[in-house]
Amino acid sequence: MPYLAALDLRGRRCLVVAGGGAVARRKAAGLLAAGASVHVVAPHVEGMPADVVVERRAALPGDLEGVTLLVCATDDPQVNAVLATEAHRRGVLVNVVDDPGSGSFTVPAVLRRGRLQVGVSTGGASPSLAARIRDELAVVVDEPYGELVALLGELRAAWEPRADAAGLPPDARRAAWRAVLDLPLLELLRQGDGCEARVRAEGVLEDALGSAG
């Protein structure tokens, strides 16, 4: 059973090696969205985002110098194997798209709602099943969830320093956030009433600070 984790790749050099086409674009776009410094090495590739560095040639083991993460998606199993072996030797995280077992990690099917990400993994056993479950979840986890995450992030950034200053203990903080989540915030956001959602959440947090006094 794989251990699921969220990687902080901001500013990290990540390499996508591919034959070209849609796979390289999709993998590069996902890494770019995570803030990575993305490099693509592929003989034939077009339509990459402007911030991606592209080299149109075959990949070499030396391309892994300074790389944190490698996505290996060429159509040549031997090339994939050589690069994966070199990645393991260097301690570089590697995902081999067509041979998950030879890499050090697999990529889950991801549902994105703003800053909210829901990943579904079968450990490489059935990517198609993972994608189907993700699509089923998309019906329940709708776009307002992204708005909710954004709202909670803003509230947390403003409230936690005040809770520190007030000496509010951890248990009381957790209780305050649980009370916020008990509010009908999603319903309000689905109705387009983000202002009311914010006011009601802020009220609960203010009450928690008041209790510290």
Side-chain angles (χ1 to χ4, degrees):
M1 181 70 68
Y3 181 79
L4 295 182
L7 299 177
D8 183 355
L9 295 175
R10 291 172 295 179
R12 303 279 187 168
R13 182 183 175 95
C14 294
L15 177 64
V16 178
V17 175
V23 172
R25 287 194 295 273
R26 187 173 68 253
K27 298 297 184 180
L31 291 167
L32 198 63
S37 173
V38 184
H39 297 245
V40 172
V41 176
H44 309 287
V45 62
E46 303 295 338
M48 283 292 167
D51 291 335
V52 174
V53 177
V54 177
E55 294 186 50
R56 292 176 177 84
R57 58 173 176 80
L60 300 170
D63 292 326
L64 291 173
E65 183 67 33
V67 167
T68 297
L69 181 148
L70 166 68
V71 175
C72 200
T74 80
D75 53 7
D76 187 330
Q78 185 174 356
V79 171
N80 292 341
V82 168
L83 293 172
T85 298
E86 180 66 11
H88 290 306
R89 188 184 74 81
R90 291 174 178 258
V92 173
L93 294 170
V94 56
N95 168 237
V96 182
V97 174
D98 292 332
D99 185 11
S102 67
S104 54
F105 74 97
T106 58
V107 179
V110 179
L111 170 64
R112 293 181 174 87
R113 297 293 189 232
R115 291 178 60 187
L116 175 65
Q117 298 186 76
V118 180
V120 181
S121 173
T122 61
S126 178
S128 295
L129 176 59
R132 177 168 294 188
I133 294 171
R134 175 202 59 200
D135 294 343
E136 291 174 355
L137 288 173
V139 178
V140 178
V141 184
D142 54 5
E143 293 293 345
Y145 271 92
E147 299 174 40
L148 177 60
V149 171
L151 173 60
L152 292 173
E154 293 171 8
L155 292 172
R156 189 177 190 86
W159 186 78
E160 286 291 345
R162 297 178 62 203
D164 280 338
L168 198 65
D171 286 349
R173 296 188 195 199
R174 286 191 289 270
W177 288 115
R178 285 195 296 269
V180 167
L181 292 176
D182 285 340
L183 295 170
L185 300 182
L186 269 175
E187 288 78 359
L188 290 168
L189 292 170
R190 285 172 177 144
Q191 295 164 13
D193 202 348
C195 290
E196 177 65 16
R198 180 181 294 273
V199 166
R200 293 183 66 171
E202 288 176 339
V204 168
L205 295 173
E206 288 299 323
D207 288 345
L209 287 178
S211 68

